[in-house]
Amino acid sequence: MNRVQVMERLQPLLNVQVRDVQNPEFSRVASSEDTLILRPSRGRSYPIAKEGIESLLRFTGVPEHLGKHLRLPTLEKVFTETIQTKGAYQVIMKDGTVVDIIPGTERQAVPPERALEVIEQAIPDVDFHRVLELPHFTTAIEVVGVDEHPVQKGDLVRAGAEVIFSPIGTVSPRVRAYVMRLACINGATSSDDFGNFSYGAGDGGSVWNFLRTSVKKAYRAIGPIVARWQELQNENIPPEQRAELLEGLIRRARLPNKVADAVRAMALREPFDNAYQAMNLLTHASSHLLTEGRDVLRARESAALFASESQHRRICPVCHRR
């Protein structure tokens, strides 16, 4: 995928407006006929779209399955009391309607064209592998370079990075080491400290310096990641413990039923012998079976924790009995 194609995928994230609300004590939600209206301050009011109501339910902590049964006057009262007391927040609007509410305002907007340019500078001959859409108008971009390492004979992996940011500044930028297996195009990240970087408002330096430096470091983290995966190959899983381990991984990743069944079927066709092969069942799901960005990242994070030297014994149900 080239830069133009990435920008096309990111276009829906750019066609919105952001309003920072620093004095929420003046905010109010009102009901009118069959809709809700947000008045962020003493000025103009904006109708709240369906996805905006879902966002407000998350903002207030009301479970969605309960919120959809509440009457508008009740929602009006709950939403007003919450936004007046939770501090500054951001209103995301599209075509004049509220589509998202996000607590806090101290974040860094990242213009995507410049971000892609910085990534290209940081990784030689970079390929933009996949673009994921995440909640709150955020994206995760998977990129790979040309640096390759063998995990074992015939199992080459390529170094890369996962870059998470919001063009409108709803999250702080993050960068993680990303590694792609060439045999099956499974992508994996690392949860260990050497491959994880977050940008904070108090960090001082430019966000571009952060991105450039972090992407370079994440790209170069392939060595320790491959070494850890080679250790996992030596962690054999007895046949009688495979089902328990697999179900533990599926639960932790919260895989949808159809995807979980597909992973089980794959494990039956090609039984795994060691922890590395078990991890790759999750990376296969995140790379080939899941499509929602939030689901992809959750499954990939579960695989990363399972592979992590510092977290593996806590995550692995088989290790608990050793």
Side-chain angles (χ1 to χ4, degrees), residues 200-221:
D203 287 347
S206 158
V207 67
W208 308 118
N209 288 336
F210 162 79
L211 283 177
R212 187 177 296 105
T213 302
S214 300
V215 169
K216 284 182 179 179
K217 289 180 178 178
Y219 181 67
R220 294 168 182 165

Side-chain angles (χ1 to χ4, degrees), residues 150-156 181-183:
V151 179
Q152 59 184 343
K153 186 176 181 180
D155 187 6
L156 282 174
R181 293 182 73 200
L182 299 186

Side-chain angles (χ1 to χ4, degrees), residues 120-291:
E120 289 174 332
Q121 293 170 354
I123 298 181
D125 301 312
V126 68
D127 175 55
F128 297 99
H129 179 61
R130 183 163 62 160
V131 177
L132 298 173
E133 186 174 334
L134 303 176
H136 304 313
F137 297 88
T138 302
T139 186
I141 301 179
E142 303 166 0
V143 301
V144 291
V146 295
D147 192 14
E148 296 178 359
H149 288 240
V151 179
Q152 59 184 343
K153 186 176 181 180
D155 187 6
L156 282 174
V157 295
R158 186 168 289 175
E162 174 189 80
V163 184
I164 298 177
F165 65 91
S166 169
I168 60 175
T170 59
V171 299
S172 295
R174 288 177 289 154
V175 175
R176 302 183 70 179
Y178 177 84
V179 177
M180 186 176 70
R181 293 182 73 200
L182 299 186
C184 54
I185 318 299
N186 287 359
T189 53
S190 170
S191 66
D192 291 307
D193 290 341
F194 55 75
N196 283 275
F197 310 94
S198 297
Y199 179 79
D203 287 347
S206 158
V207 67
W208 308 118
N209 288 336
F210 162 79
L211 283 177
R212 187 177 296 105
T213 302
S214 300
V215 169
K216 284 182 179 179
K217 289 180 178 178
Y219 181 67
R220 294 168 182 165
I222 187 172
I225 293 173
V226 168
R228 175 58 186 157
W229 289 357
Q230 290 169 338
E231 292 175 2
L232 291 178
Q233 289 181 321
N234 297 322
E235 189 175 307
N236 295 323
I237 310 296
E240 67 273 13
Q241 296 177 349
R242 290 172 186 164
E244 178 188 4
L245 175 58
L246 179 61
E247 292 305 314
L249 292 176
I250 288 173
R251 282 195 303 272
R252 177 167 288 276
R254 289 187 280 165
L255 297 181
N257 291 336
K258 287 185 178 180
V259 174
D261 288 343
V263 170
R264 293 185 184 103
M266 186 176 176
L268 287 174
R269 289 193 306 270
E270 302 176 17
F272 57 90
D273 298 317
N274 56 58
Y276 174 66
Q277 293 172 348
M279 178 199 76
N280 277 308
L281 289 171
L282 280 187
T283 61
H284 175 83
S286 67
S287 300
H288 302 288
L289 304 179
L290 297 168
T291 56

Side-chain angles (χ1 to χ4, degrees), residues 4 7 12 15 18 40 56 88 96 135 182 204 220 243 256 260 286 291 296 322:
V4 174
M7 287 302 301
N15 297 330
V18 183
L56 273 167
L182 299 186
R220 294 168 182 165
S286 67
T291 56
V296 170
R322 290 178 177 172

Side-chain angles (χ1 to χ4, degrees), residues 82-95:
T82 302
I83 63 176
Q84 287 181 347
T85 58
K86 271 205 168 185
Y89 63 93
Q90 288 180 315
V91 181
I92 314 300
M93 292 178 290
K94 186 174 184 178
D95 299 326

